[in-house]
Amino acid sequence: MFPDEIRTKVENERAEYDRRLNKGLVFTPSEFELSHAEIPGEFTDTATFWTLQPEYYTERCESTPGDAISAARIEATGNVFLVSNNGGQLNLGFTAKYSVVEYQNENDEHLRCAYSSSANLNTQVQKADHVIQACPCCGVGLLWYPSRYHMPRALAFSIFESVLDHKPIPGVTWLATDDFSYAQPGVG
């Protein structure tokens, strides 16, 4: 593409995002997300086991996923990063009020976020409560999760623990996410 074509494409994408933002559509899952929602098989496979993400926990005192979850429960903000024996990665990002649970697997091209139509936000999350997507190796903030992936903190912790126990929570599915590089704290 030529520079003018790239600029036009970016301007068109931004205009479409602004249109969706003004109509409140960015606060609900997209058609793509809904049509690809599923519970990853790894979550119900009892041969799957989860361990701490080794790079992130190198200099931390937690030694098991349960330790990491217990420590996170008393923190105001933070992350829990786990890896599975099947190439999966399970991440919990949280603030004092909200959390986002993210999953991806090296064999699956989609990043997935936990979603409950009865619990996830369908309005704009406030800037102070916006959850950051962090690098699972070092914990450095990368992007901001869109508001629609935010859920009450207690539910997210329950979902996270249910994955470890191979017991999906009824009414919770996993959305294959679309691009969310446009989200900023308190916007998107």
Side-chain angles (χ1 to χ4, degrees):
M1 283 188 164
F2 295 104
D4 288 341
E5 291 173 325
I6 293 170
R7 184 175 30 258
T8 300
K9 182 179 180 192
V10 168
E11 288 170 357
N12 289 342
E13 287 174 356
R14 184 63 196 194
E16 175 60 15
Y17 170 74
D18 288 342
R19 182 192 69 77
R20 290 180 42 110
L21 181 64
N22 291 334
K23 289 188 172 194
L25 298 174
V26 298
F27 306 119
T28 59
S30 69
E31 290 298 320
F32 174 84
E33 291 170 313
L34 292 172
S35 68
H36 290 83
E38 64 181 41
I39 296 172
E42 188 168 20
F43 292 178
T44 56
D45 180 358
T46 56
T48 300
F49 60 89
W50 296 89
T51 58
L52 299 175
Q53 203 294 341
E55 293 158 279
Y56 183 74
Y57 289 97
T58 298
E59 296 183 17
R60 297 175 65 100
C61 61
E62 295 89 350
S63 59
T64 69
D67 292 345
I69 293 168
S70 293
R73 283 190 186 281
I74 60 174
E75 295 174 6
T77 62
N79 298 280
V80 178
F81 299 110
L82 305 179
V83 293
S84 79
N85 58 312
N86 297 318
Q89 198 170 277
L90 189 62
N91 305 336
L92 172 68
F94 56 91
T95 62
K97 191 170 184 180
Y98 297 114
S99 294
V100 175
V101 185
E102 173 190 313
Y103 165 80
Q104 57 186 328
N105 190 297
E106 59 192 32
N107 302 317
D108 183 350
E109 66 210 44
H110 299 293
L111 172 71
R112 297 186 180 277
C113 289
Y115 180 77
S116 167
S117 61
S118 63
N120 281 57
L121 290 185
N122 59 10
T123 59
Q124 179 62 60
V125 67
Q126 296 298 308
K127 185 176 183 176
D129 297 321
H130 215 129
V131 179
I132 300 171
Q133 180 193 37
C135 174
C137 296
C138 62
V140 171
L142 301 172
L143 299 169
W144 299 91
Y145 289 107
S147 296
R148 66 185 176 276
Y149 300 129
H150 288 66
M151 63 178 55
R153 182 179 163 127
L155 175 60
F157 274 85
S158 294
I159 291 168
F160 207 75
E161 291 172 320
S162 76
V163 169
L164 297 178
D165 293 336
H166 309 289
K167 297 176 184 173
I169 294 179
V172 173
T173 192
W174 294 79
L175 299 177
T177 64
D178 56 7
D179 174 39
F180 55 83
S181 61
Y182 54 81
Q184 301 169 26
V187 180

